[in-house]
Amino acid sequence: MIHFSKETIQHLPKIPRLNLINSCTGYKSANLIATKTFEGISNVAVFSSVTHLGSDPAMLGFILRPTTVPRNTYKNIKDIGYFTVNHIVESMIVGAHHTSARYEENISEFNHTDLEEEYYAGISVPFVKGSPVQIYCKYLNEYDIKENGTIHIIASIEQIIIKENIIQKENWLRLDLENVVAINGLDAYCVPKLVNRFDYARPYVPTKSIV
Amino acid sequence: MIHFSKETIQHLPKIPRLNLINSCTGYKSANLIATKTFEGISNVAVFSSVTHLGSDPAMLGFILRPTTVPRNTYKNIKDIGYFTVNHIVESMIVGAHHTSARYEENISEFNHTDLEEEYYAGISVPFVKGSPVQIYCKYLNEYDIKENGTIHIIASIEQIIIKENIIQKENWLRLDLENVVAINGLDAYCVPKLVNRFDYARPYVPTKSIV
């Protein structure tokens, strides 16, 4: 085992430090957040920090680093109040990664990738076509994390649109049936496969598989 | 595609709602958070919400639901000020899931699973033996998310202990070399495999693979 102390980490060059810290918390969700400007220009950007916050009411959150790319995403979310979260599948990873390029605000990443917009009745913001899980979200609040200047965005889940085949018993979504990816670090895309599911754990009772 | 409206989600029975919302944001990191009580009793609990917050200074965060199991984890973190985050690998998933059982505070989950404690010089809190990435963390702050009563815990990364073989060029940690798992929903454990890595994305320049 190799030990990296706090001091060692602080003194690493930027790229090795970014790689290390972005890989060290484990696999991350791989989502495209899609928005629209007031002027109607679409925007889409890859995020690896979307996390569910609770199911009643249904809410999710994600972390924004104000100094990095998705500033357009933030501005659009604040202007319009709504955005979508779309799972990335294996066939989308080149386009998904390319959305992290710093395009100007009046350029839609949909025009510079093979990602396609999809619209549903009554919703003005775009979804990403082919994504097996698409979530329509409403901005609720944000918390400034004063320790490093990041922002934790909080949103309610207004609608979830799901490809039928991944919906299993009691609404568990089996993501590997559609090759949903996970992110390892900053730039590595991985495809998970299901190994096992377990029953609700109870003290002193051996944990049982339910697959 | 199946549409679940906000109203439909609100009126779902508890388990289908939990499954749906816990699966709908994508794969999640799979970590064991280990702590110690004032009295010296170890505690370990599975978490799926650990997210890096920034690399300079190196910080991470995770979400606590005060009404669910890991209350002992929270109390210990507040009492002692330190905790560890340990990646779950495929061979640990039965024990890792069992840590979600509601054992009393004076019971160590290490005594009721095949998970083993590991200690390093100068650190009083336990790590999980066999975990290829072990992070020593210091509690910094917490943010109450008033929209649903959850707590966002913020911690600094004080030390990272890593199995040598997964450390790649420029400190990228290749997690699939040690079968680190990801979580799909509440109770499903998956093993990801690397598909591709991409170069830093630049506008108008095609995204290139770096694997």
Side-chain angles (χ1 to χ4, degrees):
Chain A
M1 304 289 275
I2 307 279
H3 291 243
F4 289 81
S5 71
K6 190 174 187 172
E7 292 65 36
T8 304
I9 297 167
Q10 273 169 346
H11 293 104
L12 285 172
K14 187 177 175 188
I15 300 301
R17 191 180 60 235
L18 281 172
N19 279 330
L20 178 64
I21 303 303
N22 278 274
S23 330
C24 83
T25 53
Y27 288 104
K28 303 180 287 186
S29 56
N31 285 294
L32 290 163
I33 295 188
T35 57
K36 229 177 185 40
T37 68
F38 260 140
E39 295 75 25
I41 297 165
S42 297
N43 177 287
V44 61
V46 59
F47 278 80
S48 61
S49 62
V50 177
T51 304
H52 70 288
L53 287 178
S55 68
D56 189 21
M59 286 169 42
L60 56 77
F62 65 93
I63 304 293
L64 262 173
R65 290 166 193 77
T67 54
T68 58
V69 176
R71 278 168 299 186
N72 299 345
T73 299
Y74 180 59
K75 184 175 186 300
N76 294 348
I77 290 174
K78 296 299 289 278
D79 283 350
I80 306 292
Y82 291 89
F83 62 96
T84 70
V85 171
N86 306 269
H87 286 209
I88 299 169
V89 296
E90 187 174 355
S91 61
M92 291 179 189
I93 61 176
V94 174
H97 189 73
H98 192 69
T99 64
S100 62
R102 292 175 179 266
Y103 282 102
E104 309 88 87
E105 193 187 335
N106 62 345
I107 300 289
S108 169
E109 292 82 3
F110 284 112
N111 295 335
H112 294 276
T113 61
D114 56 4
L115 302 171
E116 287 180 61
E117 299 174 70
E118 181 165 37
Y119 287 91
Y120 293 111
I123 299 178
S124 66
V125 285
F127 294 83
V128 177
K129 197 171 175 175
S131 175
V133 180
Q134 303 168 324
I135 313 175
Y136 179 48
C137 297
K138 182 183 180 181
Y139 171 90
L140 289 182
N141 202 356
E142 64 190 64
Y143 292 86
D144 292 333
I145 298 175
K146 67 173 198 291
E147 286 71 22
N148 73 343
T150 53
I151 301 169
H152 189 199
I153 304 282
I154 313 293
S156 63
I157 295 175
E158 300 291 309
Q159 199 173 144
I160 313 178
I161 300 134
I162 306 167
K163 209 169 164 196
E164 199 165 350
N165 62 316
I166 70 170
I167 306 174
Q168 309 291 301
K169 189 184 166 198
E170 295 191 307
N171 286 345
W172 176 57
L173 308 182
R174 183 172 166 174
L175 303 177
D176 70 346
L177 295 179
E178 283 291 326
N179 296 323
V180 171
V181 300
I183 296 180
N184 172 185
L186 286 165
D187 48 28
Y189 295 79
C190 304
V191 173
K193 288 294 161 196
L194 179 66
V195 172
N196 216 337
R197 277 187 84 193
F198 299 107
D199 217 347
Y200 183 80
R202 290 181 172 79
Y204 311 107
V205 178
T207 287
K208 285 199 305 274
S209 169
I210 56 171
V211 170
Chain B
M1 303 290 275
I2 307 279
H3 291 243
F4 289 81
S5 70
K6 190 174 187 172
E7 292 67 35
T8 304
I9 296 166
Q10 272 168 346
H11 293 103
L12 284 172
K14 187 177 175 189
I15 300 300
R17 191 180 62 234
L18 281 172
N19 279 329
L20 178 65
I21 303 304
N22 277 275
S23 329
C24 82
T25 52
Y27 288 104
K28 303 180 286 186
S29 57
N31 285 296
L32 289 163
I33 295 188
T35 57
K36 230 178 186 38
T37 67
F38 259 140
E39 294 76 24
I41 298 164
S42 297
N43 177 287
V44 59
V46 59
F47 278 81
S48 61
S49 61
V50 177
T51 304
H52 70 288
L53 287 177
S55 68
D56 189 21
M59 287 169 42
L60 56 77
F62 64 93
I63 303 293
L64 263 173
R65 289 164 194 78
T67 55
T68 57
V69 175
R71 278 167 301 186
N72 299 345
T73 299
Y74 179 59
K75 184 173 185 300
N76 294 349
I77 290 173
K78 296 299 289 277
D79 284 349
I80 305 292
Y82 290 89
F83 62 97
T84 71
V85 171
N86 306 270
H87 285 209
I88 299 168
V89 296
E90 187 173 357
S91 61
M92 290 180 190
I93 60 176
V94 174
H97 190 71
H98 192 68
T99 65
S100 63
R102 291 175 180 264
Y103 282 101
E104 308 89 86
E105 194 187 335
N106 62 344
I107 300 289
S108 168
E109 292 81 4
F110 283 111
N111 294 335
H112 293 276
T113 61
D114 56 4
L115 302 171
E116 285 180 62
E117 299 174 69
E118 181 164 37
Y119 288 90
Y120 294 110
I123 299 178
S124 66
V125 286
F127 293 84
V128 178
K129 197 171 175 176
S131 175
V133 181
Q134 303 168 324
I135 313 174
Y136 180 48
C137 298
K138 181 182 179 180
Y139 171 91
L140 289 182
N141 201 358
E142 64 189 65
Y143 293 87
D144 292 334
I145 299 175
K146 65 172 200 287
E147 286 70 24
N148 73 344
T150 52
I151 301 169
H152 189 200
I153 303 283
I154 312 294
S156 63
I157 294 174
E158 299 291 311
Q159 198 173 146
I160 315 178
I161 300 135
I162 307 168
K163 210 170 163 195
E164 200 165 348
N165 63 315
I166 70 170
I167 306 174
Q168 310 291 301
K169 190 182 165 200
E170 294 191 306
N171 286 344
W172 176 57
L173 308 182
R174 184 172 165 174
L175 304 178
D176 70 346
L177 295 179
E178 284 291 324
N179 296 324
V180 171
V181 300
I183 296 181
N184 173 187
L186 287 164
D187 48 28
Y189 294 79
C190 303
V191 173
K193 288 293 160 197
L194 179 66
V195 171
N196 215 337
R197 278 188 84 193
F198 299 108
D199 217 348
Y200 183 80
R202 290 180 172 78
Y204 311 108
V205 178
T207 286
K208 283 200 306 275
S209 170
I210 55 172
V211 171

